Amino acid sequence: MSAQQTMKVFVTRRIPQEGMKILQKAAGMCNLSVWDSDEPVPRAELLNGVAGAHGLLCLLSDKIDTEVLDAAGPNLKVISTLSVGFDHLAIDEIKKRGIRVGYTPDVLTDATAELTVALLLATARRLPEGVEEVKNGGWSTWKPLWLCGYGLSGSTVGVIGLGRIGLAIARRLKPFGVKRLLYTGRQPKPQAQEVEGEYVPLDTLLSESDFVVVSCSLTPETQSLCDQTFFSKMKKTAIFINSSRGAVVNQEDLFKALGSGQIAAAGLDVTTPEPLPTDHPLLTLNNCVVLPHIGSATYTTRGVMAELSANNLLAGLRDSEMPSELKL
Ligand code: NDP
Ligand code: DGY
């Protein structure tokens, strides 16, 4: 038996069959152990399952910190996450230990951008409220100002983080007649030309945008970026959309901004925590639309993500080039 045949792999969830098939085909080179459930692996099972593993395939709901890395021990050579976001991974510690990381950029960009546009329109045009009124008898007649919202035509949109997804959102929004597309980030992006994007300071973006869309990664710099000061700089008629990570937002401050009329409405695909408790104050507001983190949730996209994460994992185990390796 070669050294490769003894390699242990732990998969923290039942993943789409496109990925499982690839892993099962490699059964000869690795001993596969799967937390065979649609629910997250309990922490104790994660620590137990990862012990001695050479490869770990995880999800964004698994916190891969020093405790997990210690539990895995020195065999661990590759972590493959079924996500493009990697804020759940203790990157510095992973790097220090020489562990390679695979992730799933690009393949989910279109699906996530599409969902973000859907969320923006649903929030700005008050679709959930309208649907509810039809069901509960609130629809009495056509009224001139009833359920009015805000349109994209002639508007200014500000994108925070014009990365892969941010740019894909901008591309989709422009044909709605958006007049100005502002963006902010760590540096200007040449690809912004395609959407006639104007690189501006954050304060300018906030004070001039009718729609503020957050699509940056969660980092120590972006954690709680959207706080009271942030919301206070937005227009009272502006719509706030977040499809990045919940922790980019201070939710108490958002609740106050929405409740006091500081901003018009918010649409969130991501929250802290996830799931958001059903008694959370944000869920009492008509002007807040909350989705359960479904940005990349199309059958095709999730299948391709599973395929890519399986191939990343196997490439890492084989010491070969990964289809998508995170540069640490
Ligand atoms: P990218 O790395 O392509 O884009 C991230 C962007 O964040 C970059 O443009 C980067 O700017 C920007 N950024 C980083 N730091 C800051 C900062 N301090 N201020 C402003 N912008 C900043 O990643 P993707 O577009 O592929 O994904 C973005 C994020 O979307 C993921 O990290 C994930 O959290 C989230 N996501 C959510 C999904 C969902 O289901 N809701 C689905 C998929 C992803 P710069 O280039 O200048 O550094
Ligand atoms: C990611 O990939 O980071 C998303 O949040 C889920 O697709």
Side-chain angles (χ1 to χ4, degrees):
M1 193 182 272
S2 72
Q4 271 200 337
Q5 282 174 307
T6 63
M7 284 195 284
K8 179 182 169 184
V9 166
F10 185 57
V11 180
T12 65
R13 193 84 66 91
R14 200 180 286 154
I15 63 168
Q17 44 135 6
E18 290 89 335
M20 280 316 296
K21 277 187 194 155
I22 291 169
L23 294 177
Q24 278 152 359
K25 265 197 208 147
M29 72 172 268
C30 56
N31 175 3
L32 190 62
S33 159
V34 181
W35 179 254
D36 193 17
S37 167
D38 287 331
E39 299 306 317
V41 59
R43 184 77 179 173
E45 297 292 345
L46 171 60
L47 295 173
N48 189 39
V50 81
H54 299 78
L56 172 65
L57 197 157
C58 66
L59 273 61
L60 55 88
S61 46
D62 306 313
K63 195 169 173 52
I64 308 301
D65 54 13
T66 305
E67 188 185 24
V68 174
L69 299 174
D70 285 347
N75 285 345
L76 191 61
K77 55 197 279 178
V78 54
I79 298 172
S80 172
T81 182
L82 187 95
S83 63
V84 66
F86 49 86
D87 47 280
H88 55 301
L89 308 179
I91 290 297
D92 289 348
E93 194 57 37
I94 289 169
K95 186 175 175 185
K96 208 158 70 187
R97 295 177 192 221
I99 299 165
R100 294 170 71 193
V101 173
Y103 70 144
T104 64
D106 301 313
V107 297
L108 44 56
T109 296
D110 286 347
T112 308
E114 207 170 273
L115 185 281
T116 307
V117 172
L119 176 59
L120 183 149
L121 289 170
T123 306
R125 297 299 303 274
R126 306 173 60 178
L127 302 193
E129 279 180 84
V131 169
E132 193 49 40
E133 295 285 32
V134 172
K135 287 185 186 165
N136 68 18
W139 182 17
S140 57
T141 181
W142 190 93
K143 295 179 221 165
L145 285 177
W146 188 51
L147 285 178
C148 283
Y150 297 91
L152 275 164
S153 182
S155 72
T156 297
V157 171
V159 178
I160 298 181
L162 198 76
R164 288 171 292 249
I165 295 170
L167 183 62
I169 295 168
R171 263 191 215 121
R172 283 160 175 77
L173 291 180
K174 283 289 281 186
F176 280 91
V178 168
K179 197 160 144 207
R180 289 179 73 206
L181 196 297
L182 313 180
Y183 74 100
T184 187
R186 288 180 290 195
Q187 68 267 317
K189 303 269 180 185
Q191 57 270 39
Q193 279 174 11
E194 185 198 328
V195 290
E196 298 170 280
E198 302 168 41
Y199 184 66
V200 294
L202 179 62
D203 282 2
T204 307
L205 183 146
L206 295 176
S207 62
E208 296 185 7
S209 296
D210 301 300
F211 297 87
V212 173
V213 182
V214 183
S215 57
C216 60
S217 34
L218 173 61
T219 67
E221 293 78 49
T222 60
Q223 173 116 21
S224 282
L225 172 75
C226 311
D227 61 4
Q228 195 232 321
T229 311
F230 177 105
F231 295 120
S232 72
K233 291 174 183 159
M234 285 174 62
K235 296 182 184 178
K236 288 195 173 2
T237 50
I239 310 282
F240 174 78
I241 302 295
N242 182 20
S243 60
S244 66
R245 284 289 182 267
V248 169
V249 177
N250 178 321
Q251 289 178 175
E252 274 183 32
D253 290 353
L254 175 61
F255 177 76
K256 285 183 197 146
L258 288 167
S260 67
Q262 179 62 58
I263 66 170
L268 313 172
D269 182 43
V270 285
T271 59
T272 312
E274 293 183 359
L276 194 65
T278 52
D279 61 354
H280 193 281
L282 281 174
L283 300 179
T284 64
L285 299 174
N286 276 340
N287 58 348
C288 188
V289 178
V290 182
L291 299 179
H293 202 149
I294 52 170
S296 64
T298 71
Y299 292 111
T300 305
T301 301
R302 289 287 166 80
V304 178
M305 285 169 70
E307 216 171 85
L308 179 54
S309 60
N311 284 326
N312 281 338
L313 182 88
L314 295 181
L317 291 176
R318 291 183 180 121
D319 295 319
S320 54
E321 197 182 326
M322 281 187 203
S324 284
E325 179 162 5
L326 183 66
K327 303 287 169 251
L328 300 181

